Amino acid sequence: MIEYGTHPMGINLLFRFHGSAVIRTLPYSICGLTLYLVFHYIVIFDGIFENSVILHPYVLSVIIGAYSFMIIFRVNFSYGRYWEAYGHVHQMHSKLLDGAGLCAAFHFQQSSLYDRPKCLSDDGGISGESMFQKLRSRRGNATQTEEVITQTEEVIVELQTKFELGTPRLRKKFREGTSDNGDETEYGSTSIMHSRPKKDRQSTTRFITMSPSASTEDRNPANNPSPYLQELVHLYSLISAVALATLRCDVEHCSIPISRYIPGAPWPPIDPDTLPGVSESTILFALGFERNVYARTRYNAKRPLGVLSGIGEEEASALRSARGPSAVVSMASLWLNEFIIREFTTGKSFGGVAPPIVSRIFQYNSDGMVGYNQARKVAYCPFPFPHAQLCTYFSSIVLVVIALLVRTFIESVVLGAPIVVFTLMALLGIQEVARELERPFKNTPNDLPLVTMQAQFNEALLATFVGYHPDAHAWWSEEHEILT
């Protein structure tokens, strides 16, 4: 996806060529201009342009009108496919996050593992008025507007100097494979899932044996997440990465490009042209050439999808053994659901929550897979061939029609030549926009930013480590106790 800002008269949009529909129309415009010059300077055509009913503007306008209707219909459906794909990916992530959030919320009810806050209903001596006073005393000293503005300015200055996307400093960090704090990142690497052994995945995961006698600080989920939580977010991150990778339509049986996600690292750039080693020839793009399935697979290998804790060798081998995208995603889904069921049947990870309530987790996971399969429908079902072929035929016819129309009514070649070029750019540009948007998972750089979406999904999963609300323990703390 190409990011762009708003400048006066859109000046900043004029100088981007890779991914532009304007540059895709140049071959058509050159052909139309050549035909116009041939009709204008070769004397043998002069007799055709005198008293010809075929060249009447009404006849030519019927052809152009029919073509306009076809390309507008196509671009409308292409926009629909593009936004539908984007919406289904977000739906998948939304439902998976709902499931992960419920798993974590149920897990936090284990008082033997965490310092679970006391329920408000457990203390019958607190009246509604007392609760209101406690709430006011706890939250009455919230940050004032002036402080918020000052803090915002400080953050903006820091972002401008350290993490601003598009700056040479950040691009250098991606080329070097390091984050701003010096940690290694995976966004600029080409590591794929079969290259990371199992022991590496375990070493990057902070698995902990929690003790009921641990201190209050150690028993805070944010400070000391349990092995259950860490494995849970790994499996949710894995199923998302596998699902998004299959939408990119790589070569079957090739390893899925998966890398270890490092929390807190800079977001992967939305525009793939800013990544090192993934540039594409603007000339080939202008001529309408695209990567074949093998070149696209190599290209996607340079844009790995981050997974929390990485991926083990056994996991990678099992995923490679599955045939077809549906089988790969189904295997990852099986691992996730089996893990949840196994933890639930032990009775130690869900805090005694009733089975009918726990079943909502599987409903959310199922809804997430519905979103994936809807996105897969867009990825694997192309725009209908008959309509695409008809638009291509009429695109060639329009070249001749526009040249004839301008030659008939405009004698000056100085005025007629630019009219031919700009008219063809306007008409055929809409056709090229439709061609770019109708395949939102393949056509780079106008494809969906799946790598960035995966990184944001990972950070959302890590939010499940936060645990209880910050004020959950404050109701009964001595500091805020109401004097009676």
mmCIF file of all heavy atoms in Angstrom, residues 67-111:
data_model
loop_
_atom_site.group_PDB
_atom_site.id
_atom_site.type_symbol
_atom_site.label_atom_id
_atom_site.label_comp_id
_atom_site.label_asym_id
_atom_site.label_seq_id
_atom_site.Cartn_x
_atom_site.Cartn_y
_atom_site.Cartn_z
ATOM 1 N N TYR A 67 -17.738 1.862 -23.777
ATOM 2 C CA TYR A 67 -16.480 1.522 -23.110
ATOM 3 C C TYR A 67 -16.429 2.128 -21.710
ATOM 4 O O TYR A 67 -15.969 1.480 -20.755
ATOM 5 C CB TYR A 67 -15.308 2.016 -23.954
ATOM 6 C CG TYR A 67 -13.963 1.802 -23.298
ATOM 7 C CD1 TYR A 67 -13.416 0.531 -23.213
ATOM 8 C CD2 TYR A 67 -13.253 2.871 -22.754
ATOM 9 C CE1 TYR A 67 -12.189 0.320 -22.605
ATOM 10 C CE2 TYR A 67 -12.020 2.674 -22.153
ATOM 11 C CZ TYR A 67 -11.504 1.407 -22.077
ATOM 12 O OH TYR A 67 -10.289 1.202 -21.481
ATOM 13 N N SER A 68 -16.886 3.359 -21.593
ATOM 14 C CA SER A 68 -16.892 4.011 -20.277
ATOM 15 C C SER A 68 -17.753 3.238 -19.289
ATOM 16 O O SER A 68 -17.387 3.080 -18.110
ATOM 17 C CB SER A 68 -17.401 5.449 -20.400
ATOM 18 O OG SER A 68 -16.584 6.203 -21.275
ATOM 19 N N PHE A 69 -18.887 2.756 -19.747
ATOM 20 C CA PHE A 69 -19.751 1.983 -18.854
ATOM 21 C C PHE A 69 -19.051 0.709 -18.396
ATOM 22 O O PHE A 69 -19.142 0.326 -17.222
ATOM 23 C CB PHE A 69 -21.057 1.628 -19.580
ATOM 24 C CG PHE A 69 -21.997 0.804 -18.760
ATOM 25 C CD1 PHE A 69 -22.796 1.384 -17.783
ATOM 26 C CD2 PHE A 69 -22.084 -0.575 -18.957
ATOM 27 C CE1 PHE A 69 -23.659 0.616 -17.023
ATOM 28 C CE2 PHE A 69 -22.940 -1.350 -18.194
ATOM 29 C CZ PHE A 69 -23.728 -0.746 -17.225
ATOM 30 N N MET A 70 -18.349 0.037 -19.297
ATOM 31 C CA MET A 70 -17.661 -1.206 -18.941
ATOM 32 C C MET A 70 -16.568 -0.971 -17.915
ATOM 33 O O MET A 70 -16.436 -1.712 -16.927
ATOM 34 C CB MET A 70 -17.067 -1.852 -20.198
ATOM 35 C CG MET A 70 -18.073 -2.590 -21.053
ATOM 36 S SD MET A 70 -17.269 -3.537 -22.360
ATOM 37 C CE MET A 70 -16.598 -2.197 -23.354
ATOM 38 N N ILE A 71 -15.748 0.072 -18.109
ATOM 39 C CA ILE A 71 -14.627 0.268 -17.187
ATOM 40 C C ILE A 71 -15.113 0.814 -15.842
ATOM 41 O O ILE A 71 -14.520 0.505 -14.792
ATOM 42 C CB ILE A 71 -13.565 1.198 -17.809
ATOM 43 C CG1 ILE A 71 -14.143 2.574 -18.133
ATOM 44 C CG2 ILE A 71 -12.943 0.564 -19.028
ATOM 45 C CD1 ILE A 71 -13.088 3.556 -18.621
ATOM 46 N N ILE A 72 -16.187 1.619 -15.847
ATOM 47 C CA ILE A 72 -16.714 2.095 -14.572
ATOM 48 C C ILE A 72 -17.307 0.937 -13.783
ATOM 49 O O ILE A 72 -17.145 0.841 -12.559
ATOM 50 C CB ILE A 72 -17.763 3.199 -14.809
ATOM 51 C CG1 ILE A 72 -17.078 4.471 -15.331
ATOM 52 C CG2 ILE A 72 -18.527 3.513 -13.530
ATOM 53 C CD1 ILE A 72 -18.034 5.562 -15.724
ATOM 54 N N PHE A 73 -17.974 0.032 -14.473
ATOM 55 C CA PHE A 73 -18.498 -1.159 -13.808
ATOM 56 C C PHE A 73 -17.356 -1.977 -13.218
ATOM 57 O O PHE A 73 -17.432 -2.448 -12.077
ATOM 58 C CB PHE A 73 -19.283 -1.998 -14.819
ATOM 59 C CG PHE A 73 -19.881 -3.249 -14.246
ATOM 60 C CD1 PHE A 73 -21.113 -3.215 -13.608
ATOM 61 C CD2 PHE A 73 -19.216 -4.458 -14.341
ATOM 62 C CE1 PHE A 73 -21.663 -4.372 -13.075
ATOM 63 C CE2 PHE A 73 -19.758 -5.617 -13.802
ATOM 64 C CZ PHE A 73 -20.991 -5.568 -13.177
ATOM 65 N N ARG A 74 -16.267 -2.104 -13.967
ATOM 66 C CA ARG A 74 -15.141 -2.905 -13.486
ATOM 67 C C ARG A 74 -14.445 -2.236 -12.304
ATOM 68 O O ARG A 74 -14.113 -2.898 -11.313
ATOM 69 C CB ARG A 74 -14.139 -3.133 -14.617
ATOM 70 C CG ARG A 74 -12.964 -4.019 -14.200
ATOM 71 C CD ARG A 74 -12.032 -4.299 -15.361
ATOM 72 N NE ARG A 74 -10.987 -5.230 -14.982
ATOM 73 C CZ ARG A 74 -10.023 -5.663 -15.789
ATOM 74 N NH1 ARG A 74 -10.002 -5.222 -17.061
ATOM 75 N NH2 ARG A 74 -9.094 -6.496 -15.370
ATOM 76 N N VAL A 75 -14.219 -0.944 -12.384
ATOM 77 C CA VAL A 75 -13.515 -0.274 -11.296
ATOM 78 C C VAL A 75 -14.374 -0.242 -10.038
ATOM 79 O O VAL A 75 -13.851 -0.297 -8.912
ATOM 80 C CB VAL A 75 -13.084 1.150 -11.718
ATOM 81 C CG1 VAL A 75 -14.252 2.126 -11.698
ATOM 82 C CG2 VAL A 75 -11.962 1.661 -10.818
ATOM 83 N N ASN A 76 -15.675 -0.181 -10.193
ATOM 84 C CA ASN A 76 -16.556 -0.213 -9.028
ATOM 85 C C ASN A 76 -16.434 -1.543 -8.299
ATOM 86 O O ASN A 76 -16.323 -1.581 -7.061
ATOM 87 C CB ASN A 76 -18.003 0.030 -9.470
ATOM 88 C CG ASN A 76 -18.964 0.077 -8.304
ATOM 89 O OD1 ASN A 76 -18.720 0.734 -7.313
ATOM 90 N ND2 ASN A 76 -20.065 -0.646 -8.422
ATOM 91 N N PHE A 77 -16.437 -2.626 -9.040
ATOM 92 C CA PHE A 77 -16.290 -3.923 -8.409
ATOM 93 C C PHE A 77 -14.874 -4.144 -7.895
ATOM 94 O O PHE A 77 -14.669 -4.865 -6.901
ATOM 95 C CB PHE A 77 -16.677 -5.034 -9.386
ATOM 96 C CG PHE A 77 -18.152 -5.323 -9.400
ATOM 97 C CD1 PHE A 77 -19.022 -4.549 -10.151
ATOM 98 C CD2 PHE A 77 -18.677 -6.349 -8.638
ATOM 99 C CE1 PHE A 77 -20.380 -4.802 -10.155
ATOM 100 C CE2 PHE A 77 -20.038 -6.612 -8.633
ATOM 101 C CZ PHE A 77 -20.892 -5.839 -9.391
ATOM 102 N N SER A 78 -13.887 -3.551 -8.534
ATOM 103 C CA SER A 78 -12.514 -3.675 -8.051
ATOM 104 C C SER A 78 -12.346 -2.965 -6.715
ATOM 105 O O SER A 78 -11.691 -3.489 -5.803
ATOM 106 C CB SER A 78 -11.543 -3.097 -9.083
ATOM 107 O OG SER A 78 -11.596 -3.827 -10.292
ATOM 108 N N TYR A 79 -12.929 -1.769 -6.597
ATOM 109 C CA TYR A 79 -12.921 -1.097 -5.300
ATOM 110 C C TYR A 79 -13.614 -1.952 -4.257
ATOM 111 O O TYR A 79 -13.163 -2.050 -3.104
ATOM 112 C CB TYR A 79 -13.627 0.258 -5.403
ATOM 113 C CG TYR A 79 -12.731 1.395 -5.809
ATOM 114 C CD1 TYR A 79 -12.912 2.052 -7.013
ATOM 115 C CD2 TYR A 79 -11.706 1.825 -4.976
ATOM 116 C CE1 TYR A 79 -12.089 3.102 -7.398
ATOM 117 C CE2 TYR A 79 -10.877 2.872 -5.346
ATOM 118 C CZ TYR A 79 -11.076 3.513 -6.556
ATOM 119 O OH TYR A 79 -10.260 4.540 -6.927
ATOM 120 N N GLY A 80 -14.724 -2.581 -4.642
ATOM 121 C CA GLY A 80 -15.435 -3.451 -3.712
ATOM 122 C C GLY A 80 -14.585 -4.620 -3.255
ATOM 123 O O GLY A 80 -14.579 -4.969 -2.063
ATOM 124 N N ARG A 81 -13.860 -5.240 -4.174
ATOM 125 C CA ARG A 81 -12.986 -6.356 -3.815
ATOM 126 C C ARG A 81 -11.872 -5.897 -2.882
ATOM 127 O O ARG A 81 -11.505 -6.605 -1.930
ATOM 128 C CB ARG A 81 -12.391 -6.987 -5.072
ATOM 129 C CG ARG A 81 -13.369 -7.784 -5.900
ATOM 130 C CD ARG A 81 -12.757 -8.158 -7.249
ATOM 131 N NE ARG A 81 -11.540 -8.936 -7.117
ATOM 132 C CZ ARG A 81 -11.494 -10.260 -7.013
ATOM 133 N NH1 ARG A 81 -12.622 -10.956 -7.007
ATOM 134 N NH2 ARG A 81 -10.348 -10.892 -6.909
ATOM 135 N N TYR A 82 -11.337 -4.713 -3.143
ATOM 136 C CA TYR A 82 -10.230 -4.201 -2.342
ATOM 137 C C TYR A 82 -10.673 -3.957 -0.902
ATOM 138 O O TYR A 82 -10.042 -4.429 0.051
ATOM 139 C CB TYR A 82 -9.716 -2.910 -2.975
ATOM 140 C CG TYR A 82 -8.427 -2.388 -2.374
ATOM 141 C CD1 TYR A 82 -7.200 -2.860 -2.831
ATOM 142 C CD2 TYR A 82 -8.433 -1.432 -1.370
ATOM 143 C CE1 TYR A 82 -6.013 -2.389 -2.302
ATOM 144 C CE2 TYR A 82 -7.262 -0.951 -0.835
ATOM 145 C CZ TYR A 82 -6.052 -1.425 -1.305
ATOM 146 O OH TYR A 82 -4.880 -0.955 -0.770
ATOM 147 N N TRP A 83 -11.768 -3.230 -0.726
ATOM 148 C CA TRP A 83 -12.237 -2.935 0.621
ATOM 149 C C TRP A 83 -12.797 -4.181 1.301
ATOM 150 O O TRP A 83 -12.719 -4.308 2.528
ATOM 151 C CB TRP A 83 -13.300 -1.835 0.566
ATOM 152 C CG TRP A 83 -12.739 -0.517 0.154
ATOM 153 C CD1 TRP A 83 -13.027 0.184 -0.965
ATOM 154 C CD2 TRP A 83 -11.757 0.257 0.864
ATOM 155 N NE1 TRP A 83 -12.289 1.351 -1.016
ATOM 156 C CE2 TRP A 83 -11.508 1.417 0.097
ATOM 157 C CE3 TRP A 83 -11.077 0.089 2.059
ATOM 158 C CZ2 TRP A 83 -10.598 2.384 0.499
ATOM 159 C CZ3 TRP A 83 -10.170 1.061 2.459
ATOM 160 C CH2 TRP A 83 -9.946 2.188 1.689
ATOM 161 N N GLU A 84 -13.375 -5.074 0.530
ATOM 162 C CA GLU A 84 -13.867 -6.321 1.111
ATOM 163 C C GLU A 84 -12.711 -7.136 1.679
ATOM 164 O O GLU A 84 -12.808 -7.685 2.785
ATOM 165 C CB GLU A 84 -14.613 -7.126 0.049
ATOM 166 C CG GLU A 84 -15.229 -8.411 0.568
ATOM 167 C CD GLU A 84 -15.922 -9.212 -0.528
ATOM 168 O OE1 GLU A 84 -15.842 -8.794 -1.704
ATOM 169 O OE2 GLU A 84 -16.541 -10.237 -0.204
ATOM 170 N N ALA A 85 -11.612 -7.223 0.932
ATOM 171 C CA ALA A 85 -10.449 -7.958 1.424
ATOM 172 C C ALA A 85 -9.892 -7.323 2.694
ATOM 173 O O ALA A 85 -9.565 -8.015 3.676
ATOM 174 C CB ALA A 85 -9.365 -8.004 0.338
ATOM 175 N N TYR A 86 -9.784 -5.994 2.686
ATOM 176 C CA TYR A 86 -9.286 -5.291 3.869
ATOM 177 C C TYR A 86 -10.208 -5.538 5.069
ATOM 178 O O TYR A 86 -9.748 -5.817 6.194
ATOM 179 C CB TYR A 86 -9.207 -3.791 3.572
ATOM 180 C CG TYR A 86 -8.055 -3.088 4.235
ATOM 181 C CD1 TYR A 86 -7.510 -1.938 3.677
ATOM 182 C CD2 TYR A 86 -7.507 -3.546 5.423
ATOM 183 C CE1 TYR A 86 -6.441 -1.279 4.270
ATOM 184 C CE2 TYR A 86 -6.446 -2.892 6.030
ATOM 185 C CZ TYR A 86 -5.925 -1.758 5.451
ATOM 186 O OH TYR A 86 -4.872 -1.108 6.047
ATOM 187 N N GLY A 87 -11.504 -5.461 4.835
ATOM 188 C CA GLY A 87 -12.454 -5.661 5.921
ATOM 189 C C GLY A 87 -12.422 -7.064 6.483
ATOM 190 O O GLY A 87 -12.523 -7.262 7.704
ATOM 191 N N HIS A 88 -12.261 -8.069 5.628
ATOM 192 C CA HIS A 88 -12.252 -9.451 6.106
ATOM 193 C C HIS A 88 -10.991 -9.754 6.911
ATOM 194 O O HIS A 88 -11.045 -10.528 7.881
ATOM 195 C CB HIS A 88 -12.385 -10.417 4.935
ATOM 196 C CG HIS A 88 -13.751 -10.425 4.322
ATOM 197 N ND1 HIS A 88 -14.902 -10.419 5.069
ATOM 198 C CD2 HIS A 88 -14.155 -10.433 3.010
ATOM 199 C CE1 HIS A 88 -15.958 -10.431 4.268
ATOM 200 N NE2 HIS A 88 -15.525 -10.435 3.024
ATOM 201 N N VAL A 89 -9.864 -9.185 6.525
ATOM 202 C CA VAL A 89 -8.645 -9.378 7.317
ATOM 203 C C VAL A 89 -8.812 -8.750 8.699
ATOM 204 O O VAL A 89 -8.437 -9.339 9.723
ATOM 205 C CB VAL A 89 -7.428 -8.787 6.586
ATOM 206 C CG1 VAL A 89 -6.200 -8.818 7.481
ATOM 207 C CG2 VAL A 89 -7.141 -9.570 5.310
ATOM 208 N N HIS A 90 -9.395 -7.561 8.748
ATOM 209 C CA HIS A 90 -9.636 -6.924 10.039
ATOM 210 C C HIS A 90 -10.659 -7.721 10.849
ATOM 211 O O HIS A 90 -10.553 -7.806 12.083
ATOM 212 C CB HIS A 90 -10.128 -5.492 9.839
ATOM 213 C CG HIS A 90 -9.025 -4.512 9.605
ATOM 214 N ND1 HIS A 90 -8.187 -4.082 10.606
ATOM 215 C CD2 HIS A 90 -8.609 -3.876 8.479
ATOM 216 C CE1 HIS A 90 -7.309 -3.221 10.113
ATOM 217 N NE2 HIS A 90 -7.547 -3.085 8.827
ATOM 218 N N GLN A 91 -11.642 -8.283 10.182
ATOM 219 C CA GLN A 91 -12.613 -9.107 10.892
ATOM 220 C C GLN A 91 -11.938 -10.327 11.503
ATOM 221 O O GLN A 91 -12.211 -10.692 12.657
ATOM 222 C CB GLN A 91 -13.738 -9.549 9.950
ATOM 223 C CG GLN A 91 -14.773 -10.447 10.629
ATOM 224 C CD GLN A 91 -15.746 -11.066 9.638
ATOM 225 O OE1 GLN A 91 -15.613 -10.882 8.424
ATOM 226 N NE2 GLN A 91 -16.709 -11.810 10.139
ATOM 227 N N MET A 92 -11.062 -10.960 10.747
ATOM 228 C CA MET A 92 -10.344 -12.121 11.268
ATOM 229 C C MET A 92 -9.543 -11.735 12.507
ATOM 230 O O MET A 92 -9.599 -12.416 13.544
ATOM 231 C CB MET A 92 -9.414 -12.682 10.192
ATOM 232 C CG MET A 92 -8.577 -13.860 10.650
ATOM 233 S SD MET A 92 -7.367 -14.421 9.433
ATOM 234 C CE MET A 92 -6.170 -13.072 9.509
ATOM 235 N N HIS A 93 -8.797 -10.631 12.418
ATOM 236 C CA HIS A 93 -8.000 -10.210 13.564
ATOM 237 C C HIS A 93 -8.879 -9.806 14.739
ATOM 238 O O HIS A 93 -8.546 -10.093 15.905
ATOM 239 C CB HIS A 93 -7.091 -9.048 13.159
ATOM 240 C CG HIS A 93 -5.871 -9.486 12.425
ATOM 241 N ND1 HIS A 93 -5.045 -8.616 11.754
ATOM 242 C CD2 HIS A 93 -5.326 -10.718 12.261
ATOM 243 C CE1 HIS A 93 -4.043 -9.285 11.202
ATOM 244 N NE2 HIS A 93 -4.202 -10.561 11.500
ATOM 245 N N SER A 94 -9.988 -9.148 14.469
ATOM 246 C CA SER A 94 -10.874 -8.724 15.551
ATOM 247 C C SER A 94 -11.422 -9.919 16.318
ATOM 248 O O SER A 94 -11.414 -9.932 17.565
ATOM 249 C CB SER A 94 -12.027 -7.884 14.979
ATOM 250 O OG SER A 94 -12.982 -7.597 15.961
ATOM 251 N N LYS A 95 -11.871 -10.924 15.608
ATOM 252 C CA LYS A 95 -12.449 -12.094 16.271
ATOM 253 C C LYS A 95 -11.385 -12.910 16.997
ATOM 254 O O LYS A 95 -11.619 -13.427 18.103
ATOM 255 C CB LYS A 95 -13.188 -12.961 15.261
ATOM 256 C CG LYS A 95 -14.422 -12.281 14.665
ATOM 257 C CD LYS A 95 -15.405 -11.877 15.744
ATOM 258 C CE LYS A 95 -16.637 -11.220 15.161
ATOM 259 N NZ LYS A 95 -17.598 -10.815 16.222
ATOM 260 N N LEU A 96 -10.207 -13.045 16.401
ATOM 261 C CA LEU A 96 -9.138 -13.769 17.084
ATOM 262 C C LEU A 96 -8.707 -13.041 18.352
ATOM 263 O O LEU A 96 -8.408 -13.673 19.373
ATOM 264 C CB LEU A 96 -7.950 -13.963 16.142
ATOM 265 C CG LEU A 96 -8.176 -14.895 14.949
ATOM 266 C CD1 LEU A 96 -6.914 -14.972 14.088
ATOM 267 C CD2 LEU A 96 -8.587 -16.291 15.414
ATOM 268 N N LEU A 97 -8.669 -11.717 18.296
ATOM 269 C CA LEU A 97 -8.329 -10.947 19.495
ATOM 270 C C LEU A 97 -9.407 -11.089 20.564
ATOM 271 O O LEU A 97 -9.092 -11.132 21.767
ATOM 272 C CB LEU A 97 -8.138 -9.473 19.135
ATOM 273 C CG LEU A 97 -6.835 -9.122 18.420
ATOM 274 C CD1 LEU A 97 -6.832 -7.663 18.003
ATOM 275 C CD2 LEU A 97 -5.632 -9.413 19.312
ATOM 276 N N ASP A 98 -10.668 -11.159 20.151
ATOM 277 C CA ASP A 98 -11.742 -11.393 21.123
ATOM 278 C C ASP A 98 -11.535 -12.736 21.825
ATOM 279 O O ASP A 98 -11.697 -12.844 23.049
ATOM 280 C CB ASP A 98 -13.101 -11.360 20.442
ATOM 281 C CG ASP A 98 -13.515 -9.956 20.038
ATOM 282 O OD1 ASP A 98 -12.950 -8.993 20.588
ATOM 283 O OD2 ASP A 98 -14.390 -9.816 19.148
ATOM 284 N N GLY A 99 -11.193 -13.754 21.049
ATOM 285 C CA GLY A 99 -10.957 -15.064 21.648
ATOM 286 C C GLY A 99 -9.768 -15.056 22.586
ATOM 287 O O GLY A 99 -9.827 -15.616 23.693
ATOM 288 N N ALA A 100 -8.665 -14.409 22.167
ATOM 289 C CA ALA A 100 -7.483 -14.333 23.025
ATOM 290 C C ALA A 100 -7.771 -13.543 24.294
ATOM 291 O O ALA A 100 -7.316 -13.907 25.388
ATOM 292 C CB ALA A 100 -6.326 -13.699 22.254
ATOM 293 N N GLY A 101 -8.541 -12.465 24.151
ATOM 294 C CA GLY A 101 -8.877 -11.667 25.325
ATOM 295 C C GLY A 101 -9.707 -12.434 26.337
ATOM 296 O O GLY A 101 -9.486 -12.327 27.550
ATOM 297 N N LEU A 102 -10.667 -13.243 25.856
ATOM 298 C CA LEU A 102 -11.473 -14.049 26.770
ATOM 299 C C LEU A 102 -10.622 -15.116 27.458
ATOM 300 O O LEU A 102 -10.772 -15.362 28.661
ATOM 301 C CB LEU A 102 -12.625 -14.705 26.018
ATOM 302 C CG LEU A 102 -13.871 -13.853 25.767
ATOM 303 C CD1 LEU A 102 -14.946 -14.687 25.095
ATOM 304 C CD2 LEU A 102 -14.397 -13.273 27.070
ATOM 305 N N CYS A 103 -9.733 -15.751 26.694
ATOM 306 C CA CYS A 103 -8.850 -16.755 27.304
ATOM 307 C C CYS A 103 -8.031 -16.140 28.429
ATOM 308 O O CYS A 103 -7.874 -16.733 29.503
ATOM 309 C CB CYS A 103 -7.921 -17.344 26.243
ATOM 310 S SG CYS A 103 -8.715 -18.451 25.056
ATOM 311 N N ALA A 104 -7.494 -14.943 28.178
ATOM 312 C CA ALA A 104 -6.688 -14.282 29.202
ATOM 313 C C ALA A 104 -7.544 -13.853 30.386
ATOM 314 O O ALA A 104 -7.148 -14.014 31.546
ATOM 315 C CB ALA A 104 -5.973 -13.078 28.593
ATOM 316 N N ALA A 105 -8.725 -13.303 30.114
ATOM 317 C CA ALA A 105 -9.597 -12.851 31.203
ATOM 318 C C ALA A 105 -10.017 -14.011 32.100
ATOM 319 O O ALA A 105 -10.045 -13.885 33.339
ATOM 320 C CB ALA A 105 -10.822 -12.150 30.626
ATOM 321 N N PHE A 106 -10.345 -15.157 31.488
ATOM 322 C CA PHE A 106 -10.697 -16.325 32.295
ATOM 323 C C PHE A 106 -9.486 -16.805 33.098
ATOM 324 O O PHE A 106 -9.607 -17.216 34.257
ATOM 325 C CB PHE A 106 -11.204 -17.458 31.399
ATOM 326 C CG PHE A 106 -12.482 -17.127 30.679
ATOM 327 C CD1 PHE A 106 -12.855 -17.823 29.536
ATOM 328 C CD2 PHE A 106 -13.327 -16.132 31.143
ATOM 329 C CE1 PHE A 106 -14.035 -17.529 28.870
ATOM 330 C CE2 PHE A 106 -14.514 -15.832 30.485
ATOM 331 C CZ PHE A 106 -14.860 -16.531 29.347
ATOM 332 N N HIS A 107 -8.322 -16.742 32.484
ATOM 333 C CA HIS A 107 -7.110 -17.222 33.153
ATOM 334 C C HIS A 107 -6.760 -16.357 34.367
ATOM 335 O O HIS A 107 -6.240 -16.864 35.366
ATOM 336 C CB HIS A 107 -5.962 -17.223 32.151
ATOM 337 C CG HIS A 107 -4.661 -17.714 32.717
ATOM 338 N ND1 HIS A 107 -4.483 -19.006 33.167
ATOM 339 C CD2 HIS A 107 -3.476 -17.076 32.916
ATOM 340 C CE1 HIS A 107 -3.241 -19.157 33.611
ATOM 341 N NE2 HIS A 107 -2.609 -18.001 33.462
ATOM 342 N N PHE A 108 -7.047 -15.072 34.289
ATOM 343 C CA PHE A 108 -6.713 -14.168 35.389
ATOM 344 C C PHE A 108 -7.573 -14.422 36.634
ATOM 345 O O PHE A 108 -7.297 -13.851 37.691
ATOM 346 C CB PHE A 108 -6.877 -12.706 34.959
ATOM 347 C CG PHE A 108 -5.870 -12.281 33.923
ATOM 348 C CD1 PHE A 108 -6.186 -11.294 32.999
ATOM 349 C CD2 PHE A 108 -4.620 -12.859 33.873
ATOM 350 C CE1 PHE A 108 -5.268 -10.899 32.042
ATOM 351 C CE2 PHE A 108 -3.696 -12.483 32.924
ATOM 352 C CZ PHE A 108 -4.013 -11.494 32.007
ATOM 353 N N GLN A 109 -8.588 -15.257 36.521
ATOM 354 C CA GLN A 109 -9.405 -15.581 37.692
ATOM 355 C C GLN A 109 -8.755 -16.635 38.575
ATOM 356 O O GLN A 109 -9.312 -16.997 39.616
ATOM 357 C CB GLN A 109 -10.790 -16.061 37.237
ATOM 358 C CG GLN A 109 -11.506 -15.111 36.291
ATOM 359 C CD GLN A 109 -11.483 -13.670 36.768
ATOM 360 O OE1 GLN A 109 -11.870 -13.384 37.908
ATOM 361 N NE2 GLN A 109 -11.019 -12.773 35.916
ATOM 362 N N GLN A 110 -7.581 -17.117 38.183
ATOM 363 C CA GLN A 110 -6.861 -18.087 38.987
ATOM 364 C C GLN A 110 -6.146 -17.361 40.125
ATOM 365 O O GLN A 110 -5.058 -16.814 39.957
ATOM 366 C CB GLN A 110 -5.850 -18.847 38.130
ATOM 367 C CG GLN A 110 -6.460 -19.882 37.209
ATOM 368 C CD GLN A 110 -7.016 -21.045 37.985
ATOM 369 O OE1 GLN A 110 -8.224 -21.142 38.172
ATOM 370 N NE2 GLN A 110 -6.160 -21.932 38.459
ATOM 371 N N SER A 111 -6.752 -17.345 41.308
ATOM 372 C CA SER A 111 -6.146 -16.654 42.446
ATOM 373 C C SER A 111 -4.891 -17.349 42.936
ATOM 374 O O SER A 111 -4.069 -16.738 43.621
ATOM 375 C CB SER A 111 -7.160 -16.552 43.587
ATOM 376 O OG SER A 111 -7.616 -17.851 43.963
#
